[in-house]
Amino acid sequence: MDVKKLIEESNLYLMSTYNRFPVVLRKGRGMKVWGSDGKEYLDFIAGIAVNILGHCHPKVVIALQKQAQRLIHVSNFYHIEPQIKLAKLLAEHTFADRVFFCNSGTEANEAAIKLARKYSKENFNPGRFEIISAKNSFHGRTLASLTATGQEKFQKGFEPLVPGFKHVAFDDIPALKKAITKNTCAILLEPIQAEGGVKVPDGNYLKGVRKVCDEYNLLLILDEVQTGMGRTGRFFAHEHFGITPDIMTVAKGLGGGAPIGALLATNKVAAAFQPGSHAATFGGNPLVCAAAIATIETLLEDGFILDQCNRMSAYMEEKFRYLKEKFPDLIKEVRGLGLLIGMELNIECEGIVKSALDMGVLINCTAGKVLRFMPPLIVQKKDIDYLITILERILVKIMREQEKK
Ligand SMILES: Cc1ncc(COP(=O)(O)O)c(C=O)c1O
């Protein structure tokens, strides 16, 4: 494969919405991906928290192959076997009674916003449509989700945004209470702000938010697009905090790599959606549902993968603590839950991502100075050891350069 030519054509024919690295990825297995030039990489990004079982997990591949031979797509005018099975699996393992399927995280949030508005208008009053979300949050790129996102840098140039959204400081109950008016219908939060720099709230924050919602009759919408599907060591992150939402959005890891999103809700809230209220042509299509069933069944089988996630999380934390002690001037803080871990630096981290790529490790930088690690949940000690060796080498080099100045 002529990688140079492929990159030239990529730059020529694709809209330049991504600042892509000069690498073409072609093949993946487990923790590893290979470029078209044959170079091997260890993947600590996992498609941004998507490939929870690693690349091309055999159970997901077989499920896709079998389903592709049977039925790829039919309309939601009809009942669809894998969709029914997947909805049942999700309902059996979560707070939710009912599910609506779509194709992505942002679409799941759009659906959640519509459901919350309709439920509130019908059960309270027509003026009740305001949603409070958090500053520094991320909920997606379509217009309502983008408006809910509490970061101006993503919204710039797309105004006017959607009316009816307010942003308050994350992890701050008094600020939240202050923002509530008679028009508020819901509170939309990520249990952990992932894109915003892996910000983990105080252990009592979500309990406090649930209490506020109950007190003011507001819906609690949790965006578990990134934190769900075992990423934090429990099936969904809110399970760590001893609460349940009224509505939850899921995507990323749900399909083990296949593009699927879902909106989950209690019977009471879901009743606001009636035939014609909402739809998605591809939502819950047989192919992606088959992949999602295989993913959930594998993830929950014997609790083995969640145990592995928790063990590897503890191992990574120990290793990162060692790095923090060795480089106190470069590493400010390490935080996270399960295998969603952020390392906040005192310097911009994009250069470190580039150096790691050259050395065969895929890592991510978010919020400018936070290295974000979200490997497949099947990551092993040897993979983490390799990551640490690479990070140590890069940080030593940066430290030496700083000392020379
Ligand atoms: C918490 C959260 N919500 C929503 C989204 C949007 O998901 P998608 O890119 O699938 O639309 C993301 C994506 O990073 C996310 O992290």
Side-chain angles (χ1 to χ4, degrees), residues 168-190:
V168 298
F170 186 58
D171 203 6
D172 186 340
I173 296 286
L176 181 67
K177 273 188 162 174
K178 223 170 127 193
I180 296 169
T181 69
K182 64 176 187 351
N183 295 332
T184 309
C185 82
I187 294 169
L188 165 60
L189 294 169
E190 298 158 88

Side-chain angles (χ1 to χ4, degrees), residues 278-302:
H278 197 53
T281 297
F282 288 116
N285 137 323
L287 193 67
V288 291
C289 284
I293 292 165
T295 305
I296 294 182
E297 285 180 345
T298 309
L299 177 68
L300 298 180
E301 204 172 60
D302 310 326

Side-chain angles (χ1 to χ4, degrees), residues 115-154:
L115 180 64
R117 282 187 171 190
K118 194 155 185 293
Y119 172 85
S120 285
K121 281 166 184 272
E122 286 172 4
N123 287 278
F124 299 98
N125 67 68
R128 198 167 147 136
F129 62 86
E130 247 174 38
I131 293 181
I132 302 174
S133 60
K135 288 181 183 161
N136 196 47
S137 59
F138 188 84
H139 298 293
R141 305 286 194 148
T142 51
L143 264 182
S145 303
L146 183 69
T147 310
T149 293
Q151 300 192 61
E152 274 174 24
K153 68 177 181 200
F154 295 115

Side-chain angles (χ1 to χ4, degrees), residues 48 103-109 138-142 145 190 192 194-195 223-227 249 251-252 260 372:
I48 319 189
N103 311 289
S104 65
T106 197
E107 243 191 276
N109 285 329
F138 188 84
H139 298 293
R141 305 286 194 148
T142 51
S145 303
E190 298 158 88
I192 296 169
E195 294 293 317
D223 176 344
E224 292 244 24
V225 166
Q226 188 153 160
T227 53
T249 55
K252 291 205 185 265
I260 176 168
R372 180 175 41 163

